[in-house]
Amino acid sequence: MSSVQTLIIIAIIILIILIVGFIIIQNRKHLHEIEAIDNSVDKIAKMHLERDIKRLDKMDLAGESLTTLNTWRKCYQDAATAKIPEVQHLLELAADENASYHLFKARKNIKKAQEIINSTLDDMKNTHDVFNDLLESNRENQLQYDALIKTYRSMRKNILADSFNYGSALNQLENELSSMESDFDEAKNLSSQGDHVEAKRVLTKIKVALNELKEQLPKIKEAEHQLETVFQDQLSELSDAYKKMISEKFYINKVNVLDEIKKIHEEIDSARNLLAGLKIDELDKENKKIASQIDDLYNVLATEYKARPFVEENQSKMFTLISHQQIASKKLVEKLRHIDESYELTHGELDESKHLEQEVNDMNRQYTVDTQNIADGKGVYSEIQNSWLAMLDRLRQIDAKQKQMSQDVDGLYDSENVANDSIKHFKQEVSLVYRRLQRRKLPGNPDSFVQMYTLVVNEIGHVSEQLSEVRINMEKISNELIQISDDVERLKREADDIINSANLVELTMQYSNKYSDRDAIQKAQDKAMKLYQRNYDYKNALDTIATALEKAEPGAYQRLENSYYSEKNNK
């Protein structure tokens, strides 16, 4: 036997083993499935649905309960007479086929039996639950009935005992109690007739109604208490307080208190209708609205009551403060008018002082109106308080502003004296600068210096003329004095530069004579002397000779310059 034949034989043997193994496994699987279906059939049997039907028949059910029983009885009978026998028949076939190893036929019957038993088992479970409900409904209904009737009677007793606390809601409460009593009778009749399902529905309705009523009763009591006690007491208190305040010359113009009280009474009447109809949610909103309106009235009266002491305590103080500020305002206007004759008030001080004076006078007129209204009993104290507080704040601002204005214009006299002194000082400084150059006996002054000198002299003269005018603009003069001060300093620096340059030219010329045999030095000396004597250009003259000397003897001019300034500073 060749190796190939051997392999084929081995493969056939393995295949046979696999087939046999599959058949054995499948056979056992079928046995387990058949056993599972048998167990489901046993479960249905153990539910004892036939026994439950007999017990239910003895209960003489009626109405919805009887309809429910008949519906599920039919479901059970269909299962017991048709579906379960068919499943059992299919299992017998499957078992025989499986034993004969007709596996595919066995598989088909098992699958069909599974489909039937699964749906049937679900139906029987539901049937069992329904039967249990029906069997228990009578007992449960009786227990629920007893509990609910006890709650109902207790609630009815309490309502009747506290009937005064429910006000206009009492009639509707009694109607609801009567309606519940009818429902109890209906539930009892339905139970006695065997219609336990319908009886349970009615009892559930009663339970819901009792729970709602239980929640409503405290709210009804509270609403009734608010409408008939709290609100009434508050409105009575408001009315009495308002009348007393009017007799004490309070005046309220924000609202008509008595009309508002009347409107609230009308709203309370409307709220009573909501209470009578047990419209609890709407009633709660209405009561909150009424409470808010009453609070607003209390606030109106309290605001006026609290404002009166302030007005009475500050009436004389306000008169004193306003009178004092009127006098101060008038004096400031007169002072500024007088000052305006001699000085230009460049920031509108006079107009502003007149405006402030008018503002204070307006306050005085308003104060007079307020005090007259108080005397006539028409003064609204809260409005007067707010007005006076605003006045007090504004009076402080006006007083501070007027004092500042007075101080500012007082400084004009001092500023004028300072300006005159400054002019004298500037004249002296300019004169000293000019005489200093004269003493140096230079050939002449540079054009730049002459122009600067002329400008400063003219500026000083112009300011002197302004200071001699009838009305002086001190702000303008002060600005010009600042400019003159800067120009005088520039003039002084210009004079210093001229003198220093001239002195250094002479020193450098003398030192450069050491190299007078050189053409460059001779030419530089000639040019420098020309610039010095004819053009009075001392700076360029110095640059010319200093440059030539540096070329002839590097560092020589720097030594001369350092020596010159050192000697000058030590003097």
Side-chain angles (χ1 to χ4, degrees):
M1 183 180 295
S2 67
S3 59
V4 174
Q5 291 174 331
T6 301
L7 290 174
I8 291 172
I9 292 170
I10 292 170
I12 292 170
I13 292 170
I14 292 172
L15 180 61
I16 292 170
I17 292 171
L18 289 175
I19 292 172
V20 172
F22 172 76
I23 292 171
I24 293 171
I25 292 170
Q26 196 66 22
N27 180 270
R28 290 180 179 177
K29 181 181 177 182
H30 289 169
L31 288 174
H32 287 306
E33 289 176 342
I34 291 168
E35 184 179 355
I37 296 171
D38 270 334
N39 290 335
S40 295
V41 173
D42 288 341
K43 285 181 182 179
I44 294 174
K46 290 177 181 178
M47 291 180 186
H48 303 296
L49 297 177
E50 185 68 33
R51 182 188 63 189
D52 290 343
I53 291 172
K54 291 178 180 179
R55 291 170 61 190
L56 288 169
D57 285 338
K58 293 178 180 179
M59 290 175 61
D60 296 327
L61 299 178
E64 186 66 26
S65 298
L66 181 59
T67 301
T68 301
L69 171 60
N70 289 334
T71 299
W72 290 97
R73 186 206 304 270
K74 184 177 184 302
C75 180
Y76 166 72
Q77 288 174 344
D78 287 344
T81 59
K83 294 179 180 179
I84 291 176
E86 184 179 0
V87 169
Q88 291 173 333
H89 174 67
L90 290 170
L91 288 180
E92 290 175 0
L93 291 176
D96 291 340
E97 289 162 350
N98 193 55
S100 303
Y101 290 97
H102 297 154
L103 299 181
F104 291 106
K105 290 182 178 181
R107 172 76 259 167
K108 182 178 179 181
N109 289 324
I110 289 171
K111 187 176 181 181
K112 187 175 180 182
Q114 284 175 332
E115 292 173 354
I116 297 171
I117 197 62
N118 288 340
S119 62
T120 302
L121 182 60
D122 289 338
D123 288 342
M124 293 305 97
K125 286 179 180 178
N126 291 333
T127 303
H128 181 261
D129 291 340
V130 171
F131 287 173
N132 276 341
D133 287 342
L134 288 172
L135 288 167
E136 291 293 325
S137 61
N138 185 38
R139 188 176 66 85
E140 288 179 358
N141 286 353
Q142 187 60 48
L143 291 173
Q144 187 175 26
Y145 180 91
D146 293 341
L148 291 176
I149 196 70
K150 183 178 179 181
T151 302
Y152 165 78
R153 288 169 179 167
S154 176
M155 192 176 293
R156 183 181 182 87
K157 180 180 178 182
N158 291 334
I159 291 173
L160 294 176
D162 295 339
S163 58
F164 181 79
N165 293 326
Y166 296 106
S168 57
L170 184 60
N171 289 336
Q172 186 61 30
L173 288 174
E174 289 178 344
N175 290 338
E176 291 203 4
L177 290 171
S178 297
S179 177
M180 277 188 258
E181 192 165 352
S182 298
D183 288 338
F184 275 115
D185 291 340
E186 183 181 1
K188 190 173 183 180
N189 291 332
L190 289 169
S191 293
S192 64
Q193 294 170 6
D195 194 351
H196 302 294
V197 172
E198 187 62 19
K200 185 174 182 178
R201 184 190 65 77
V202 175
L203 289 172
T204 301
K205 173 186 172 185
I206 294 171
K207 183 178 180 180
V208 171
L210 282 171
N211 287 336
E212 289 180 355
L213 189 58
K214 185 178 179 181
E215 290 181 4
Q216 287 179 341
L217 289 179
K219 296 178 181 179
I220 294 170
K221 277 188 179 182
E222 177 60 25
E224 167 68 13
H225 178 65
Q226 281 187 301
L227 291 173
E228 304 305 331
T229 303
V230 177
F231 292 161
Q232 300 301 328
D233 291 346
Q234 289 176 334
L235 292 176
S236 178
E237 184 180 38
L238 283 169
S239 179
D240 293 342
Y242 174 72
K243 291 174 183 177
K244 183 180 179 182
M245 289 175 72
I246 295 302
S247 69
E248 294 175 355
K249 290 191 174 182
F250 281 90
Y251 187 73
I252 298 171
N253 64 349
K254 188 175 182 180
V255 295
N256 188 316
V257 176
L258 295 180
D259 282 351
E260 288 300 312
I261 291 174
K262 182 180 178 182
K263 289 179 183 177
I264 292 173
H265 275 300
E266 292 172 355
E267 291 179 11
I268 289 174
D269 289 337
S270 297
R272 287 192 183 102
N273 293 331
L274 295 174
L275 180 63
L278 296 185
K279 298 178 180 179
I280 305 304
D281 291 338
E282 294 179 41
L283 176 61
D284 182 59
K285 292 179 182 178
E286 186 65 19
N287 277 5
K288 287 179 180 177
K289 176 184 172 185
I290 293 171
S292 176
Q293 291 173 334
I294 291 175
D295 286 343
D296 289 343
L297 287 181
Y298 270 112
N299 288 335
V300 169
L301 298 187
T303 299
E304 298 306 317
Y305 189 79
K306 292 177 182 178
R308 184 168 184 167
F310 171 86
V311 174
E312 291 176 344
E313 291 169 8
N314 290 279
Q315 188 168 339
S316 60
K317 179 182 178 181
M318 288 296 300
F319 176 78
T320 301
L321 288 173
I322 293 173
S323 299
H324 169 77
Q325 206 61 47
Q326 279 185 302
I327 295 170
S329 299
K330 185 176 182 181
K331 286 182 178 179
L332 179 61
V333 171
E334 291 174 353
K335 179 179 180 178
L336 291 176
R337 280 176 177 162
H338 177 70
I339 291 174
D340 191 54
E341 294 175 358
S342 301
Y343 299 95
E344 292 184 22
L345 301 176
T346 55
H347 296 288
E349 290 89 347
L350 182 56
D351 288 339
E352 186 174 3
S353 68
K354 291 177 180 178
H355 175 75
L356 294 176
E357 182 186 30
Q358 182 61 46
E359 191 174 349
V360 175
N361 290 336
D362 290 341
M363 290 184 193
N364 184 60
R365 279 191 288 274
Q366 182 60 48
Y367 170 80
T368 302
V369 171
D370 290 340
T371 53
Q372 186 59 52
N373 285 336
I374 292 170
D376 295 340
K378 294 183 179 180
V380 182
Y381 287 105
S382 61
E383 293 180 359
I384 294 172
Q385 179 185 29
N386 292 336
S387 175
W388 287 7
L389 285 171
M391 283 185 192
L392 287 170
D393 186 56
R394 183 57 183 155
L395 284 170
R396 283 191 288 270
Q397 295 175 7
I398 291 173
D399 183 60
K401 180 63 177 177
Q402 289 177 335
K403 286 179 179 177
Q404 185 62 49
M405 290 171 66
S406 181
Q407 291 175 5
D408 291 343
V409 297
D410 285 343
L412 291 173
Y413 296 108
D414 295 335
S415 297
E416 183 182 4
N417 292 330
V418 170
N420 282 316
D421 291 341
S422 297
I423 290 298
K424 289 178 183 179
H425 177 69
F426 292 148
K427 286 180 178 179
Q428 290 173 355
E429 286 195 309
V430 171
S431 178
L432 287 172
V433 170
Y434 190 76
R435 285 201 300 271
R436 184 180 170 205
L437 284 175
Q438 283 184 324
R439 285 197 299 271
R440 182 62 181 75
K441 294 182 180 180
L442 294 171
N445 294 323
D447 289 341
S448 61
F449 175 81
V450 173
Q451 292 173 0
M452 189 67 195
Y453 176 80
T454 303
L455 172 66
V456 173
V457 170
N458 289 338
E459 287 177 340
I460 293 172
H462 179 65
V463 172
S464 296
E465 289 178 2
Q466 291 184 68
L467 286 168
S468 64
E469 292 177 357
V470 176
R471 293 179 75 241
I472 300 173
N473 186 331
M474 281 309 305
E475 184 175 3
K476 181 180 179 183
I477 289 173
S478 296
N479 291 331
E480 292 183 4
L481 287 174
I482 294 172
Q483 183 61 49
I484 292 173
S485 177
D486 292 340
D487 291 342
V488 168
E489 290 301 317
R490 286 175 56 198
L491 186 66
K492 289 163 69 177
R493 289 194 298 272
E494 183 76 16
D496 285 342
D497 289 344
I498 291 170
I499 292 172
N500 290 331
S501 295
N503 290 339
L504 284 170
V505 167
E506 293 175 0
L507 286 173
T508 308
M509 290 284 284
Q510 291 175 5
Y511 189 87
S512 67
N513 286 332
K514 289 173 59 178
Y515 305 102
S516 60
D517 57 336
R518 298 183 184 183
D519 290 340
I521 292 295
Q522 288 181 2
K523 289 180 181 179
Q525 287 179 337
D526 292 341
K527 184 178 178 181
M529 288 303 298
K530 183 177 180 181
L531 290 169
Y532 185 94
Q533 293 178 342
R534 296 180 184 178
N535 299 336
Y536 319 131
D537 191 354
Y538 305 109
K539 291 180 182 179
N540 282 330
L542 178 60
D543 288 341
T544 301
I545 190 61
T547 301
L549 179 60
E550 279 295 304
K551 290 180 179 179
E553 184 183 339
Y557 173 72
Q558 191 64 52
R559 290 195 304 274
L560 287 172
E561 186 181 45
N562 291 341
S563 176
Y564 170 77
Y565 282 111
S566 177
E567 183 180 349
K568 181 180 178 182
N569 291 333
N570 290 329
K571 287 182 179 180

